[in-house]
Amino acid sequence: MSLYPPPNESYYPLFPPGPEPTSPESIRNSPEFRSMRGAHRSFGTAATLVSVGGFLTYVLLSGFAAGLMNQPLAGHLTIGLALGLCQFLLMAVTIWLYVRHMRRRVDPVAQRLRAQLHDSRARAEAQAQAQQGRASAERRFGTW
Amino acid sequence: MVTQAAGQLVNHAASVTDRATLQLTLVLFITVVVVTLFTVLLTAPQRDEISEFYLGDRDMSPLRNGLAMCGDYLSAATLLGSTGIVALTGYDGLLYLGGTVVAWMMALLMIAEPLRNSGKFTLGDTLASRLPQGQRSVRLALALCTLAVCLLYLVAQLVGSIALLAQFIGAPSGTARAMCVVVIGTIVVVYAAIGGMPGATVIQVVKAVMLVAGVGITAVMVLHHFSWNIDRLLSSAADNSALGERYLGPGLRYGGSTTNKLDFFSLQLAIVLGLAALPHIMMRLLAPRTTRVLRGSVVWAVGLIGFVCLMAGVLGLGATAIVGREQIADVDPRGDAAVLLLGYELGGGVLVALLSSLAFITLLGVAGGLTLAAASSIAHDLYGAVIRKGKATETEEVAVARLSAAAIGVMGMLLALLSWGTSTATLAFLAFAIAASAILPTIVYSLFWQGFTARGALLSLYGGLACSVLLVVFSPIVSATSTSLYPNADFAWFPLQNPGIVSIPAGFLLGWLGSVLSKRQAPEVFEEFEVRALVGADER
């Protein structure tokens, strides 16, 4: 690290950014972040559509296809009641899959990126502090 | 025996039980209130720090967080109202209970984690960091919507407390009504104003534990009564409903005409999308310190709520099977007495007292959460950011939050006394519709759509609010039928009682339109926001 850090990154336009993305912008452009965002969104959207859409379809079916829902399955258990219980099962399975998906695909990447961001922020703060320290030091000497 | 007991009940001027039960209920209720009040005083924020007042203890375990969410979410409407609907309408009531659980899926899968990562104290903070240009007007709009939703829902809870009291003493006199609302309202204000979020959490957790235990135990008693044979429960319910097989099929409540069916779909849409956008639930989502704890909390919450709703279904069916549908409808045409009548049959006065004190505590908990959410929004968004432009000190802001909690409580009490005859369900459903058509589009767009702008947010917030309220004003709820507020007037050109099916798409459409028509904002803002929302750049 040089003693006098450049005021911003565009100061040396010839040097490409390092392999480690550090600022929020570079993290957003990194392929890791993009794939994580994709994994997060596609699963979230699909799972929401399945569970919420499934339930709303069930409501519509109950309203407009009452005859079908009244077909008895076993004893007094009709297709409608069974489908209602299936909604609870569907939700349980969706939640289990979601937690597993997040733990495997999203959390590790997010943790890594968070650590990088944290590092870069700490470094920037240290630099700012060093600069400030220098400035105040100069001022101190100036009064003498 | 059933008819004899029911006859006795009807003789008591349409009340559920005798004086001793009422006294036992009061003793139980007061005990719980006193104990929780002392706990609230002990856990109240010691210093005037806004993070403590708004978010409370941020290091709670997922189970405790989940219990608090469950407590904030399940109101007395679930315990008494939904079970009553199941008892009276069977299948349609069960469908309604299902929607209450499914509503959490959207919150868990799409909204909770990015919202927590990008948020700070209130929802307004999230929007302000996403839409920095024009953030003050967006905060103002959001605060107005929050206030509308919270007040409507709060009034529904207080009106519900009058309805609950009516189960004991028959139609209450004006003094009894006022006493009931003022006592409940004052306790709520004390919880919210003195306790802040830590205090609200105490009562939510206590209430959730009591609710899960109470509903679970009563359901076990019902199942035991039918020797754990679900089919026998279903067949006795169908037999005692005097409707036969129709009871277990759809269409009893929302059957017949297409308008009715669409109305039910509209209601379900508002519930499934709106519950996750209720301000007091959003505040709970912001509290956990890490994403992992938040996920665990929401999973616990969904599990507990799913359990309570399944058991509530059992209670409703059991009430019809054991007490009989006619008797329930005789005591209260809306069915609110179903659980209490069932409790009387299964466990006598003691169980009725337990269940009704549970219902009062439940009311109290939800009302406290709502008051706190509205007060935070006023103090942080309206006072801190709009009026003082971010220059208010923390002490000042907390003082304003406490004062506005008191003001909202008083306002809720007055409105409840004025509108005590209205159905609590109508008020609550309107609150859901506003949340789903004004607040939800704004949240979804700001989290996931780069092109969203401040004008889009304003349009969807004000537009969604106005659309839902106006549609209800021009619906059969307000005029044209014998059960409406103004039965003699007729300006009801909107045929449905629930505006959701129109107002929710309208809210989304307006948000899109406003954003497309306004100047795009700088892309860096969204890029930084998105990184924060997904990576959780700072574990606050």
Side-chain angles (χ1 to χ4, degrees), chain A residues 24 28 37 40-41 44 47-48 51-52 55-56 58 60 62-63 70 75-76 80-81 98 102 107 110 114 117, chain B residues 91 95 99 108-110 113 231 235 245 249-250 261 265 268-269 272 292 295 527 530-531 534-537 539:
Chain A
R28 189 173 187 270
R37 183 179 59 185
H40 187 259
R41 273 202 194 163
T48 310
S51 52
V52 176
F55 179 75
L56 289 176
Y58 167 57
L60 280 182
S62 302
N70 278 334
H76 285 84
L81 289 174
Y98 172 75
M102 292 300 278
D107 282 356
R114 194 181 306 142
L117 254 183
Chain B
Y91 187 93
L95 216 59
L108 169 69
L109 298 170
M110 301 283 290
E113 294 180 28
D231 198 51
S235 66
E245 292 303 314
K261 292 172 182 170
F265 183 71
Q268 289 286 7
L269 201 66
V272 166
R292 199 165 268 248
R295 200 180 299 152
E527 285 171 9
E530 194 179 33
V531 170
L534 279 172
V535 180
E539 291 285 332

Side-chain angles (χ1 to χ4, degrees), chain B residues 35-386:
Chain B
V35 170
T36 45
L37 267 183
F38 273 109
T39 329
V40 164
L41 287 180
L42 288 178
T43 54
Q46 299 300 314
R47 289 144 297 165
D48 283 340
E49 283 178 1
I50 53 175
S51 73
E52 202 184 358
F53 190 85
Y54 292 149
L55 299 177
D57 178 8
R58 307 195 52 205
D59 295 318
M60 289 200 305
S61 68
L63 173 59
R64 270 176 66 196
N65 263 318
L67 278 170
M69 286 174 191
C70 172
D72 250 332
Y73 184 63
L74 292 173
S75 63
T78 317
L79 181 64
L80 302 178
S82 308
T83 43
I85 298 176
V86 175
L88 292 186
T89 63
Y91 187 93
D92 284 0
L94 293 174
L95 216 59
Y96 173 77
L97 275 176
T100 321
V101 189
V102 173
W104 273 88
M105 296 308 285
M106 172 113 184
L108 169 69
L109 298 170
M110 301 283 290
I111 291 173
E113 294 180 28
L115 187 74
R116 191 218 69 91
N117 287 342
S118 60
K120 214 168 167 197
F121 298 121
T122 61
L123 209 52
D125 288 339
T126 309
L127 291 189
S129 73
R130 170 70 182 78
L131 308 163
Q133 300 157 328
Q135 57 144 317
R136 298 231 309 273
S137 46
V138 175
R139 274 193 204 252
L140 180 67
L142 182 72
L144 282 179
C145 287
T146 306
L147 210 57
V149 172
C150 286
L151 264 180
L152 277 171
Y153 211 37
L154 180 65
V155 171
Q157 301 299 319
L158 292 175
V159 171
S161 76
I162 303 179
L164 187 55
L165 188 71
Q167 307 293 341
F168 290 99
I169 58 172
S173 64
T175 338
R177 284 204 303 272
M179 278 290 290
C180 175
V181 166
V182 168
V183 167
I184 299 268
T186 314
I187 300 172
V188 165
V189 167
V190 169
Y191 281 138
I194 297 179
M197 191 66 156
T201 308
V202 169
I203 175 107
Q204 301 304 4
V205 172
V206 169
K207 167 204 146 172
V209 170
M210 283 175 67
L211 187 66
V212 170
V215 173
I217 290 170
T218 320
V220 164
M221 286 166 86
V222 170
L223 290 173
H224 187 72
H225 185 93
F226 291 100
S227 47
W228 298 89
N229 187 342
I230 305 283
D231 198 51
R232 253 186 73 197
L233 170 65
L234 288 174
S235 66
S236 330
D239 292 344
N240 278 347
S241 66
L243 293 161
E245 292 303 314
R246 269 185 63 209
Y247 182 75
L248 298 177
L252 269 187
R253 184 184 178 88
Y254 293 99
S257 63
T258 311
T259 317
N260 254 347
K261 292 172 182 170
L262 278 181
D263 205 8
F264 190 48
F265 183 71
S266 180
L267 168 65
Q268 289 286 7
L269 201 66
I271 289 179
V272 166
L273 298 178
L275 281 172
L278 288 178
H280 61 303
I281 307 291
M282 296 273 114
M283 265 185 82
R284 284 267 165 226
L285 295 180
L286 288 171
R289 206 183 289 276
T290 68
T291 319
R292 199 165 268 248
V293 173
L294 172 70
R295 200 180 299 152
S297 316
V298 180
V299 171
W300 264 114
V302 183
L304 291 165
I305 290 162
F307 172 78
V308 171
C309 284
L310 272 178
M311 293 304 116
V314 171
L315 291 188
L317 291 175
T320 299
I322 296 175
V323 182
R325 183 171 179 274
E326 306 270 299
Q327 280 77 13
I328 295 170
D330 272 350
V331 173
D332 182 345
R334 274 180 307 211
D336 284 353
V339 173
L340 303 179
L341 289 168
L342 174 73
Y344 190 76
E345 287 296 325
L346 288 174
V350 179
L351 191 56
V352 174
L354 276 173
L355 285 172
S356 31
S357 57
L358 180 58
F360 273 119
I361 302 285
T362 300
L363 276 171
L364 217 60
V366 175
L370 284 163
T371 312
L372 187 67
S376 314
S377 180
I378 290 183
H380 194 67
D381 293 333
L382 213 58
Y383 180 79
V386 176

